[in-house]
């Protein structure tokens, strides 16, 4: 039977690994209308199913993998899926996103989302084809890395066109920042979703399908997609993305002093050029490699042809170059490329791996961690041989790697001796490649993000290099020029609030933040038109904006239920008290409190506690969460 | 004899062509209903595959119901769906894997040179060319590479 709306398959696969049962259930059309899909779908399912008593690595945690109504369609860059569960790294809301070809294929195989419950007694993987699913034995796959698993399953079926999502050894070994990988080099990296999948003993999800994604209005759809494609291609940003991908941000971030270097001691790195986009393009680029229906093609293949770091495979993004590179003082680009490749094979988040290593390196510099702790490894800044060795050790939880596998927050508590002081985490997750002192909106966005340190939840980038026209359109001309000044805290509460609301809509429909957040090509009106032509939902822009706000508030309530409040929306002391020493932000700290006040006020949350108010929750249709507000501290 | 050519050096493997093809032919999004396929092979190979519109098409030769034939007027190989029994013999005969069965209607489908995908490829990897045009293009590319060398030996006015 066909679903009420186009764009969706209308089926959700529910898997109970403890009992070995799979069942396809119809998607609730009301859920689709109120939360769209992707991140929004996950937020509602997990709010209802898990809570404070859920242990992230216990069988009671629920892992949701969801696509959006635009995933697998012709909207530019609509290749995204979302993986969510309670996070073993942060203990709160966990969510990670990836592109690739897997999400689209899941829909062609007949499902919008997969909900995984329980824990299998033995390693298994899921096989999904045209509305049918089977749990299959994964004993021979257990212990294999992502590349090996990919090859083995494709060989088993004799079909190289099967699309796969999987974990590597890091997920099996419950590394707290293990990633869920797909299509070899695509990572739903953050918050340790790979460890949750590993705890369920689910090695992989293989999909193949020949079902339709129906389109509500095929005639106007074709015209609209032609229009959007032309708009995307005409953006001057597109060619730059195609030529360099995100690595070119290394040079840009270094210029504005936002490139975290030596565990955020500074935002300017002397070897930035050596690890930047130009170097990689000139010496290592094989070709741009697009994800499904992606016009911008920032994904790419790189090759180090010879030497100890020889490999061919996916290319690192800016965040990896920053976290594994500058943050650890490493200027050897081949070592970074290789470490990135290894992290992908093991299935591990490069942001948290690099962040944890940078913490250890600073502790080593300060004499808190010595060779006695590391098993003889020299952790001086820039020691790339130790860094590469530690990728293996962390993924396999060997020696000192077993401590780093806990993430820097937990590792510092184990080490003690004042190591906590150098942890650059927010809500226990390592900050990626963003020094908020150089861009105040990033500082605030990291502090308020639902999944702990996260540059992507709000992804406020329009003040980075002056997108004045887009700023005027999106926030209003009356806030200029202050809102566009990256070192000025003024109006950044507004910017972050608006960006968060829009970004969760983007993640819920299954679209990439490139093309929506930066370059700011598509905004609500474009997504709305595409959504209505695809689904036939006849949403208004007001409703779409309200959906964004609803999802942000629901994520917040998930965290409030876990005890999160204003005191947790903070940054490491270093960013609040130590002025940036170099570059344009020299002398700056993050003026967090004043930005937070503005942010909470605009959110309609209690400024003192950072808790959503009953009125706000009711207005957004989140009545069912009101009971979870702390009794005594509830604001009017 | 024109055919749809996909340049593997330009193709990024995004498969937008497959989506547009299924949308234009079937009014749905479904790569398995597309008349061309992009093959991705590691490491780093992406190649669009479509019917070559052969002069002496093996698919037509083996078709037991004569559903496939070269259409001289349209200058291409065409499938008569009314005659097709969905036996798949043509699938086995095609040396390129460029013809297959529709997943639901079970009739042979292949590129009909409608050209919907060509202008919509974001990297311009697709074109409809004849062998003559293709070879012309190759010759021109080669000569363009040799041009600076040859110009050194020819007296022409320089800016």
């Amino acid at each position: 039977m066909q679903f009420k709306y186009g764009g969706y398959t209308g089926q959700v696969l529910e898997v109970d690994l403890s009992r070995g049962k799979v069942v396809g259930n119809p998607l609730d059309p009301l859920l689709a209308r109120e939360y769209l899909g992707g991140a929004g779908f996950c937020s509602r399912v997990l709010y209802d199913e898990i809570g404070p008593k859920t242990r992230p690595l216990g069988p009671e945690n629920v892992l949701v993998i969801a696509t959006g109504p635009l995933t697998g369609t012709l909207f530019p860059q609509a290749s995204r899926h979302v993986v969510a569960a309670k996070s073993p790294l942060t203990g709160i809301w966990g969510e990670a996103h990836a592109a690739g070809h897997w999400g689209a294929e899941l829909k062609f195989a007949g499902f919008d989302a997969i909900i995984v419950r329980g824990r299998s007694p033995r390693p298994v993987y899921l096989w999904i084809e045209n509305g049918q699913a089977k749990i299959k034995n994964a004993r021979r796959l257990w212990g294999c890395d992502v590349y090996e698993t990919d090859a083995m399953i494709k060989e088993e079926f004799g079909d190289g066109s099967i699309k796969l999502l999987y974990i590597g050894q890091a997920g099996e070994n419950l590394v707290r920042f293990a990633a869920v990988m797909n299509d070899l080099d695509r990572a739903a990296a953050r918050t340790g979703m790979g460890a949750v999948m590993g705890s369920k003993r689910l090695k992989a999800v293989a999909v193949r399908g020949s079902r339709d994604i129906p389109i509500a209005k095929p005639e106007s759809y074709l015209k609209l997609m032609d229009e959007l494609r032309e708009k995307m291609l005409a953006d001057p940003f597109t060619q730059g993305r195609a030529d360099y991908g995100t690595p070119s941000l290394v040079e840009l971030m270094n210029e504005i002093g936002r490139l975290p270097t030596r565990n955020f001691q500074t935002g300017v790195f002397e070897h930035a050029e050596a690890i930047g986009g130009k170097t990689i393009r000139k010496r290592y680029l094989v070709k741009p490699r697009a994800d499904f229906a992606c016009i911008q093609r920032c994904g790419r293949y790189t090759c180090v042809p010879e030497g100890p770091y020889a490999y061919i495979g996916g290319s690192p993004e800016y965040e990896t170059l920053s976290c594994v590179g500058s943050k650890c003082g490493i200027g050897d680009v081949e070592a970074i490329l290789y470490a990135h490749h290894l992290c992908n094979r093991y299935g591990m988040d490069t942001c948290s791996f690099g962040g944890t290593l940078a913490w250890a390196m600073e502790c080593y510099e300060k004499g808190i961690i010595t060779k006695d702790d590391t098993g003889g490894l020299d952790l001086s800044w820039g020691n790339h041989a130790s860094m590469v060795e530690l990728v293996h050790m962390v993924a396999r939880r060997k020696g000192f790697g077993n401590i780093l596998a806990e993430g820097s927050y937990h590792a510092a508590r184990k080490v003690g001796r004042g190591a906590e002081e150098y942890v650059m985490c927010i809500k226990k997750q390592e900050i990626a490649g963003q020094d908020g002192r150089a861009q105040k909106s990033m500082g605030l966005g990291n502090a308020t993000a639902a999944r702990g340190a996260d540059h992507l939840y709000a992804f406020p980038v329009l003040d980075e290099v002056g997108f004045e026209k887009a700023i005027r359109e999106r926030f209003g001309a009356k806030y200029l020029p202050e809102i566009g000044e990256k070192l000025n805290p003024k109006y950044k509460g507004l910017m972050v609030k608006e960006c968060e609301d829009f970004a969760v809509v983007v993640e819920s429909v299954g679209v990439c933040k490139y093309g929506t957040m930066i370059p700011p090509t598509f905004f609500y009106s474009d997504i709305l038109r595409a959504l209505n032509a695809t689904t036939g939902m006849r949403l208004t822009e007001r409703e779409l904006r309200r959906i964004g706000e609803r999802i942000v508030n629901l994520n917040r309530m998930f965290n409030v239920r876990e005890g999160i409040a204003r005191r947790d929306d903070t940054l490491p002391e270093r960013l609040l008290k130590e002025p940036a020493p170099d570059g344009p932000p020299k002398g700056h700290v993050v003026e967090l409190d004043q930005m937070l006040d503005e942010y909470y006020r605009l959110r309609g949350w209690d400024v003192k506690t950072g808790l959503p108010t009953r009125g706000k929750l009711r207005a957004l249709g989140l009545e069912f969460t009101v009971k979870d507000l702390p009794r005594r501290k509830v604001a009017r | 004899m024109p055919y749809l050519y996909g340049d593997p050096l330009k193709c990024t493997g995004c498969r937008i062509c497959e989506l547009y093809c299924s949308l234009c032919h079937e009014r749905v999004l479904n790569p398995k209903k597309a008349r061309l396929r992009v093959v991705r092979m590691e490491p780093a190979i992406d190649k669009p595959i479509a019917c070559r519109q052969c002069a002496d098409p093996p698919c037509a030769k083996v078709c037991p119901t004569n559903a496939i034939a070269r259409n001289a007027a349209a200058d291409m190989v065409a499938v008569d769906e009314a005659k097709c029994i969905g036996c798949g013999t043509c699938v086995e005969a095609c040396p390129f894997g460029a013809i297959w069965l529709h997943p639901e209607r079970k009739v042979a489908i292949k590129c009909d040179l409608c050209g919907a995908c060509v202008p919509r490829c974001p990297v311009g990897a697709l074109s409809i060319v004849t062998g003559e045009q293709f070879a012309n293009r190759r010759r021109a590319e080669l000569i363009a590479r040799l041009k600076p060398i040859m110009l050194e030996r020819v007296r022409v006015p320089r800016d």
Side-chain angles (χ1 to χ4, degrees):
Chain A
M1 199 188 72
Q2 199 149 19
F3 189 60
K4 186 174 173 188
Y5 302 120
Y8 297 88
T9 68
Q11 289 284 312
V12 176
L13 181 67
E14 305 202 24
V15 181
D16 183 341
L17 289 175
S18 299
R19 293 189 182 81
K21 291 246 174 358
V22 288
V23 58
N25 282 325
L27 172 67
D28 176 1
L30 193 65
L31 189 68
R33 212 186 152 85
E34 288 183 348
Y35 296 90
L36 302 172
F41 177 84
C42 294
S43 74
R44 182 61 202 259
V45 170
L46 290 180
Y47 194 89
D48 290 346
E49 293 209 14
I50 59 177
K53 290 204 179 105
T54 307
R55 293 164 300 166
L57 297 177
E60 67 272 24
N61 200 358
V62 175
L63 183 74
V64 186
I65 311 172
T67 64
L70 299 187
T71 306
T73 72
L74 279 165
F75 190 92
Q77 290 91 237
S79 54
R80 311 283 292 180
H81 64 270
V82 180
V83 185
K86 190 168 178 181
S87 164
L89 184 67
T90 63
I92 56 171
W93 175 252
E95 169 183 353
H97 323 110
H101 289 248
W102 185 88
E105 194 73 15
L106 178 68
K107 288 177 76 173
F108 300 130
F111 295 101
D112 292 309
I114 308 173
I115 302 174
V116 184
R117 303 184 184 91
R119 168 186 289 159
S120 170
R122 64 191 72 83
V124 292
Y125 76 97
L126 272 176
W127 165 248
I128 302 173
E129 184 175 26
N130 290 340
Q132 303 292 320
K134 264 193 212 131
I135 298 174
K136 298 184 66 118
N137 192 328
R139 204 176 53 199
R140 71 193 185 98
L141 302 171
W142 206 253
C144 292
D145 73 24
V146 161
Y147 274 49
E148 290 161 351
T149 307
D150 191 274
M152 284 163 83
I153 295 181
K154 283 175 178 168
E155 199 186 307
E156 186 182 332
F157 287 93
D159 182 355
S161 73
I162 289 170
K163 305 299 174 209
L164 289 150
L165 170 143
Y166 23 46
I167 52 169
Q169 296 96 324
E172 295 174 12
N173 296 332
L174 310 181
V175 172
R176 281 191 202 245
F177 45 84
V180 173
M181 307 295 295
N182 61 285
D183 301 290
L184 295 178
D185 289 294
R186 287 282 160 250
R190 306 231 69 190
T191 65
M193 294 297 100
V196 176
M197 197 160 147
S199 76
K200 301 196 170 303
R201 301 202 179 95
L202 178 61
K203 178 69 179 175
V205 183
V207 293
R208 180 171 67 187
S210 59
R211 295 227 171 142
D212 300 340
I213 296 179
I215 298 300
K217 297 170 186 153
E219 278 77 23
S220 60
Y221 181 81
L222 182 64
K223 251 172 91 183
L224 178 62
M225 290 304 129
D226 281 343
E227 179 195 326
L228 297 180
R229 188 190 66 254
E230 291 309 319
K231 194 172 170 189
M232 190 73 246
L233 281 171
D235 196 301
F237 222 84
T238 299
Q239 195 53 49
R241 269 278 181 276
D243 288 344
Y244 293 99
T246 58
S248 61
L249 291 172
V250 172
E251 289 100 320
L252 177 67
M253 292 304 132
N254 193 53
E255 202 180 304
I256 67 172
R258 211 189 89 189
L259 180 68
T261 299
R262 287 183 278 277
N263 203 31
F264 291 85
Q265 289 181 6
T266 172
V268 179
F269 185 44
E270 64 276 17
H271 300 303
E273 211 168 284
I275 65 168
K278 287 212 178 82
T279 305
I280 291 177
R281 178 175 169 81
K282 201 168 130 206
R283 287 170 48 196
Y284 306 104
L285 179 69
V286 178
K287 66 179 277 199
R289 209 83 192 287
D291 291 318
F292 193 79
C294 173
I295 291 178
Q296 293 200 73
R297 55 197 185 276
C298 71
R300 52 210 45 242
Y301 246 52
T302 42
C303 173
V304 177
E306 55 193 4
Y309 299 138
Y311 88 102
I312 179 166
S315 170
E317 305 286 339
Y318 160 73
E319 304 300 331
T320 304
L321 293 162
S322 155
C323 294
V324 180
S326 61
K327 217 185 260 183
C328 300
I330 291 171
D332 184 316
V333 69
E334 293 189 3
I336 302 170
L337 287 167
Y338 186 62
H340 165 259
H341 177 65
L342 287 179
C343 283
N344 283 2
R345 294 188 76 131
Y346 282 126
M348 203 154 70
D349 174 20
T350 54
C351 297
S352 278
F353 169 75
T356 303
L357 180 60
W359 159 79
M361 283 179 155
E362 182 155 20
C363 290
Y364 189 83
E365 180 190 59
K366 302 283 193 288
I368 297 167
I369 289 174
T370 64
K371 280 191 180 166
D372 292 339
D373 302 294
T374 65
L377 277 180
D378 174 5
L379 290 191
S380 304
W381 297 119
N383 190 331
H384 52 86
S386 295
M387 182 269 286
V388 169
E389 184 57 30
L390 275 167
V391 175
H392 296 291
M393 288 168 68
V394 170
R396 295 175 184 274
R397 280 189 175 270
K398 288 271 154 46
F400 186 57
N402 193 32
I403 294 176
L404 296 190
E406 296 293 297
S408 54
Y409 173 85
H410 297 282
R413 288 173 59 132
K414 275 195 181 158
V415 170
R417 309 191 287 262
E420 289 97 333
E421 197 182 322
Y422 303 103
V423 170
M424 296 303 288
C425 282
I426 299 162
K427 302 185 181 84
K428 305 180 191 172
Q429 172 156 261
E430 290 73 18
I431 306 173
Q434 334 291 335
D435 188 329
R437 291 172 295 190
Q439 189 182 339
K440 304 300 164 64
S441 59
M442 261 304 170
L444 176 64
N446 261 300
T448 58
R451 60 171 178 172
D454 182 9
H455 60 293
L456 291 168
Y457 194 65
F459 209 27
V461 279
L462 295 182
D463 51 342
E464 221 164 62
V465 280
F467 281 95
E468 205 185 291
K469 186 167 154 267
I471 287 176
R472 192 168 294 141
E473 273 168 24
R474 293 184 178 203
F475 311 113
K478 62 179 168 181
Y479 303 110
L480 281 166
E482 292 92 337
I483 195 167
E485 296 164 353
K486 53 184 168 290
L487 291 172
N488 190 340
K490 206 167 175 192
Y491 302 132
K492 296 308 183 291
L494 170 75
M495 178 178 255
V496 167
K497 187 249 174 206
E498 290 298 322
C499 284
E500 284 179 347
D501 289 350
F502 182 51
V504 292
V505 167
V506 168
E507 292 291 4
S508 297
V509 295
V511 172
C512 187
K513 278 169 181 154
Y514 287 129
T516 48
M517 311 302 284
I518 192 162
T521 315
F522 305 123
F523 200 39
Y524 282 110
S525 61
D526 305 284
I527 290 195
L528 185 73
R529 284 200 297 158
L531 202 54
N532 283 340
T534 307
T535 65
M537 272 183 182
R538 303 168 112 174
L539 287 169
T540 62
E541 185 170 324
R542 204 162 145 256
E543 279 177 283
L544 194 60
R545 285 172 179 269
R546 193 160 160 262
I547 290 171
E549 210 183 341
R550 176 182 300 137
I551 296 166
V552 171
N553 276 267
L554 187 55
N555 288 341
R556 180 65 171 183
M557 282 308 296
F558 185 97
N559 285 343
V560 164
R561 203 168 55 175
E562 303 287 335
I564 294 289
R566 176 166 182 150
R567 64 180 174 276
D568 304 291
D569 297 342
T570 188
L571 300 172
E573 291 263 299
R574 174 165 281 167
L575 304 183
L576 296 174
K577 295 195 175 146
E578 277 179 35
D582 305 300
K586 190 170 177 173
H588 275 264
V589 294
V590 182
E591 300 90 335
L592 185 64
D593 275 330
Q594 93 183 64
M595 292 192 289
L596 269 180
D597 286 351
E598 185 199 1
Y599 172 84
Y600 293 137
R601 217 175 39 246
L602 291 167
R603 275 250 166 264
W605 296 354
D606 181 60
V607 173
K608 226 170 89 199
T609 59
L611 302 181
T613 55
R614 285 162 184 252
K616 191 74 205 173
L617 293 173
R618 288 207 177 100
L620 291 170
L622 297 173
E623 181 77 40
F624 59 95
T625 66
V626 170
K627 64 179 188 332
D628 296 318
L629 282 168
R631 279 179 204 290
R632 244 170 272 154
K633 281 187 242 154
V634 175
R636 287 143 289 160
Chain B
M1 279 195 310
Y3 65 98
L4 182 69
Y5 169 69
D7 186 341
L9 295 178
K10 287 185 183 162
C11 178
T12 65
C14 77
R15 299 162 66 203
I16 281 176
C17 49
E18 294 179 5
L19 284 186
Y20 272 115
C21 185
S22 69
L23 183 68
C24 292
H25 286 90
E26 308 268 345
R27 298 161 60 92
V28 294
L29 299 176
N30 185 346
K32 297 284 189 323
K33 292 181 181 173
R35 273 68 170 163
L36 84 168
R37 294 281 175 84
V38 178
V39 179
R40 175 167 277 199
M41 199 175 282
E42 303 309 335
I45 296 166
D46 300 288
K47 166 70 181 162
I49 300 274
C51 174
R52 315 276 308 192
Q53 317 293 345
C54 302
D56 185 13
C59 55
K61 249 188 241 173
V62 299
C63 179
T65 60
N66 293 323
I68 307 176
R70 262 210 81 82
N71 181 325
D75 202 8
M76 66 171 198
V77 178
V79 180
D80 183 347
E81 289 193 0
K83 285 190 191 164
C84 178
I85 56 171
C87 66
T89 315
C90 52
V91 181
E92 293 168 2
C94 177
F96 297 94
I99 187 166
W100 48 85
L101 297 185
H102 187 287
E104 283 149 24
R105 290 187 288 121
K106 306 290 180 199
V107 292
I109 54 174
K110 59 178 278 304
C111 176
D112 58 5
L113 293 180
C114 78
C117 55
V118 175
R120 293 178 168 113
C121 171
V123 292
L126 298 168
S127 53
I128 292 175
V129 291
T130 61
E132 176 63 19
Q133 285 165 340
F134 191 92
N136 268 339
R137 213 196 282 167
R138 272 288 139 84
R139 285 189 286 270
E141 279 165 17
L142 174 72
I143 301 310
R145 285 216 316 267
L146 294 175
K147 196 171 148 192
I149 301 169
M150 295 190 294
L151 281 183
E152 278 174 21
R153 306 182 183 181
V154 183
R155 293 178 62 85
V156 291
R158 310 280 165 92
D159 322 314

